[in-house]
Amino acid sequence: MDRELSLFMKNITGDVSAVAGWLWQRGWAERNAGNISVRLTEDELTSFPDEQPVLLPLPKRCEILAGFHFLVTATNTRMRDVAARPLETLLLIRISDDGTGYQILSPTGETALRPTSEMPAHLCIHEMLTAKRPSHKVVIHTHVTELIALTQIRELCDEQRLNSILLGMHPETRIFVPDGVGFVPYTLPGSRAIGEATVRALENHSAGLWEKHGLFATGRDPMETFDIIDVLAKSASVWFMCRSAGYEPEGLTEEQLDELAKLKF
Ligand code: 2HA
Ligand code: ZN
């Protein structure tokens, strides 16, 4: 596989590792924080190993994802290592034809690595995206400090209140993340339950904010998905900067927000 990596796989691996590096540089990926997955279509995979690695069970059958391949970050992997050594930290997995298990097709052959601990959430989200928003193939989870901090303030743990802050702090947020975030009340990480709650949050949003934990964002490619995270973080930073200076930020007015909504790009 290493020798025969298709051009697409080279490009997608390059984009994922670039984004991983930015997440680390922005301070949103301490230790092994965060994880990334990308759904690949058959035609994007011109080559992969012929051997049939063991089938590992999935906690719940994923019929919609049967036969799909995913590029996923390995569990216990640092984003800064994904940036430096993508072929040693990313796994290619294939969901079995009946959707009950998956095989690991490691780019470098036999591996002890296993997919991200948040794989249940990633798979739940990809099930929803494949059915309802198939152009969105990328899911990124990261610990955006500014956004987590918002959810440490009880009165802000409310979707409407959060989005009024986020959309009001910068015109670009209104333009590029018009639906804001879906709010996911605190739930145990790594669980199918948080995956299902995130799916509900993402049905009408490109990003779901986990209370006291971090963000899940979806997009068509790794760069677009990173942009969503970056834009939301900008808004949260502006809000905290005003508050730290002792001022209540004014926010954009309803009129200004409506005017922005009409802009075409
Ligand atoms: O992958 O971020 O939520 C480590 C995490 C778990
Ligand atoms: Zn996390």
Side-chain angles (χ1 to χ4, degrees), residues 77-92:
T77 297
R78 299 181 182 94
M79 284 294 151
R80 59 185 190 268
D81 290 340
V82 177
R85 293 187 298 282
L87 291 184
E88 292 165 36
T89 49
L90 290 169
L91 293 172
L92 181 62

Side-chain angles (χ1 to χ4, degrees), residues 110-220:
E110 196 44 51
T111 178
L113 297 178
R114 288 292 173 263
T116 165
S117 59
E118 298 292 3
M119 191 153 98
H122 281 260
L123 291 182
C124 284
I125 296 166
H126 280 293
E127 277 185 299
M128 184 276 285
L129 294 176
T130 305
K132 299 197 174 157
R133 220 184 298 154
S135 63
H136 280 214
K137 296 177 180 176
V138 177
V139 175
I140 300 180
H141 166 57
T142 190
H143 296 178
V144 186
T145 321
E146 305 84 325
L147 293 168
I148 300 167
L150 287 176
T151 70
Q152 286 287 354
I153 301 167
R154 176 54 46 208
E155 66 193 70
L156 303 188
C157 287
D158 169 85
E159 201 164 284
Q160 240 186 330
R161 181 91 171 84
L162 279 171
N163 287 327
S164 126
I165 289 175
L166 293 169
L167 298 190
M169 286 302 108
H170 202 284
E172 305 267 310
T173 312
R174 177 69 187 88
I175 295 168
F176 294 113
V177 197
D179 300 318
V181 296
F183 177 66
V184 182
Y186 184 84
T187 310
L188 187 70
S191 61
R192 176 101 192 160
I194 199 164
E196 285 165 1
T198 313
V199 165
R200 288 191 291 278
L202 287 174
E203 271 176 6
N204 299 312
H205 303 93
S206 298
L209 182 53
W210 285 7
E211 181 183 341
K212 300 179 183 142
H213 185 139
L215 191 72
F216 261 84
T218 77
R220 286 170 294 193

